[in-house]
């Protein structure tokens, strides 16, 4: 069985000082996270404080929200995979819909970023998802396949297996209107099938596919009831340590019941 992931995306929230306090509280609240992996992605400016607060023995995974694909050089304002690795990051989000929507991120960039993450030993969490307009015009498959094929071009089967894909319908992010599991599951199947095709092997069976978009402690178990959904990428509900710990507890306690 694939280990489940609960990943918090802090977006542009919390100072370094607040991050330290958050992590200390989270560690008090979290049970031993047997069988699941819990991680969170603070802003760049809070990574060091979060790392310090985690200490050397925590099993919580630290990640970043983005990276640039070059290792170093004249790229004002950017942060490389090498820098993130040095700060203790284990994973990095790539192609989040807010990057695509507000910062013009293209599939060709996400591809370079996934490659840069892999080169630096960071687990890429590639975010894909359709807009409401795509959904209403029956373009879901087309959009998801394009984001996957372009974002993962040239990546070896062996690396594809280690990836995490987050399916985040844009219309569900931050709106309080989560997709229903019935809406999400077919897209998760499509993603798994595409990963098999891209790898020419069974990478799709090993890749972790998370759902994201208005996940809360109240609806998480409904998603995890499907074997297709390997965890969640959470924004709003991860900002409070008690709520985030509750998400982890729900994930530990829920077993998939459907194929
Ligand atoms: P949300 O954000 O949980 O606030 O909808 C999810 C995300 O953007 O990853």
């Amino acid at each position: 069985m694939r280990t489940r992931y609960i990943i918090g995306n802090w977006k542009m929230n919390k100072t370094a000082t607040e991050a330290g306090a958050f992590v200390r509280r989270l560690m008090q609240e979290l049970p031993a996270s047997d069988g699941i992996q819990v991680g969170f992605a603070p802003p760049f400016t809070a990574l060091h404080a979060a790392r310090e607060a985690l200490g050397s023995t925590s099993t919580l995974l630290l990640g970043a929200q983005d990276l640039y694909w070059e290792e170093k050089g004249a790229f004002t304002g950017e942060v490389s995979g090498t820098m993130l690795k040095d700060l203790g990051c284990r994973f990095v989000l790539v192609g989040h819909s807010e990057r695509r929507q507000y910062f013009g991120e293209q599939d060709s960039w996400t591809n370079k970023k996934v490659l840069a993450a892999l080169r630096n030993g960071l687990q890429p969490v590639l975010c894909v998802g359709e807009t409401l307009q795509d959904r209403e015009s029956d373009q879901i498959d087309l959009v998801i396949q394009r984001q996957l094929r372009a974002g993962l071009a040239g990546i070896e089967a062996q690396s594809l297996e280690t990836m995490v894909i987050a399916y985040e319908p844009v219309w569900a992010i931050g709106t309080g209107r989560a997709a229903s599991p019935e809406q999400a599951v077919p897209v998760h199947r499509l993603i798994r099938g595409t990963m098999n095709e891209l790898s020419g092997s069974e990478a799709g069976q090993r890749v972790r596919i998370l759902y994201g978009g208005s996940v809360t402690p109240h609806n998480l178990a409904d998603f995890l009831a499907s074997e297709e959904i390997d965890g969640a990428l959470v924004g709003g509900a991860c900002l409070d340590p008690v709520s985030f710990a509750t998400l982890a507890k729900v994930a530990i306690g829920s077993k998939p019941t459907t194929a």
Side-chain angles (χ1 to χ4, degrees):
M1 217 180 103
R2 296 176 293 266
T3 322
R4 285 172 156 175
Y5 266 53
I6 298 294
I7 297 183
N9 171 12
W10 292 11
K11 310 193 179 186
M12 198 173 74
N13 291 293
K14 299 192 193 296
T15 62
T17 311
E18 289 166 343
F22 174 97
V23 172
R24 284 187 288 277
R25 184 70 206 273
L26 179 65
M27 293 201 299
Q28 287 167 1
E29 292 290 331
L30 266 187
S33 47
D34 283 348
I36 70 161
Q37 284 194 299
V38 180
F40 60 94
F44 293 137
T45 47
L47 283 170
H48 181 67
R51 176 75 269 155
E52 294 279 293
L54 282 171
S56 54
T57 53
S58 174
T59 54
L60 283 166
L61 305 176
L62 185 66
Q65 298 172 21
D66 193 18
L67 80 168
Y68 191 60
W69 55 81
E70 297 288 350
E71 303 302 327
K72 61 178 179 177
F75 304 102
T76 302
E78 294 298 324
V79 172
S80 73
T82 320
M83 294 168 179
L84 297 178
K85 186 74 184 177
D86 181 64
L87 275 175
C89 287
R90 305 277 295 277
F91 70 91
V92 59
L93 307 184
V94 174
H96 189 278
S97 70
E98 284 150 17
R99 301 298 317 166
R100 297 177 192 260
Q101 205 176 338
Y102 304 133
F103 303 100
E105 176 132 351
Q106 298 160 17
D107 290 323
S108 57
W109 305 5
T110 62
N111 184 237
K112 290 183 195 172
K113 290 180 179 187
V114 169
L115 285 162
L118 290 168
R119 216 167 44 232
N120 282 289
L122 295 163
Q123 185 171 42
V125 179
L126 177 65
C127 305
V128 298
E130 82 286 356
T131 63
L132 192 57
Q133 199 187 1
D134 297 329
R135 177 163 281 265
E136 285 172 347
S137 57
D138 226 4
Q139 305 278 301
I140 303 174
D141 291 20
L142 203 81
V143 169
I144 301 292
Q145 296 233 20
R146 192 205 69 223
Q147 290 173 343
L148 287 174
R149 289 181 192 284
L152 300 175
I155 293 168
E156 297 168 1
Q158 239 182 338
S159 300
L160 289 176
E161 283 182 10
T162 67
M163 294 214 34
V164 177
I165 307 290
Y167 168 53
E168 298 204 301
V170 179
W171 48 271
I173 295 179
T175 58
R177 237 186 94 200
S180 63
E182 292 71 29
Q183 286 172 314
V185 165
V187 186
H188 280 238
R189 290 210 174 101
L190 172 78
I191 293 172
R192 231 175 263 296
T194 309
M195 296 302 283
N196 279 340
E197 273 176 44
L198 286 174
S199 65
S201 70
E202 294 295 294
Q205 305 321 311
R206 280 183 278 280
V207 79
R208 253 70 59 94
I209 308 178
L210 315 183
Y211 168 78
S214 296
V215 170
T216 67
H218 305 290
N219 62 19
L220 178 62
D222 298 339
F223 289 105
L224 297 182
S226 167
E227 275 182 0
E228 287 292 337
I229 301 181
D230 302 317
L233 179 56
V234 186
C238 84
L239 292 175
D240 173 73
V242 176
S243 156
F244 190 50
T246 308
L247 288 164
K249 288 174 195 165
V250 170
I252 292 166
S254 61
K255 299 265 176 294
T257 52
T258 57

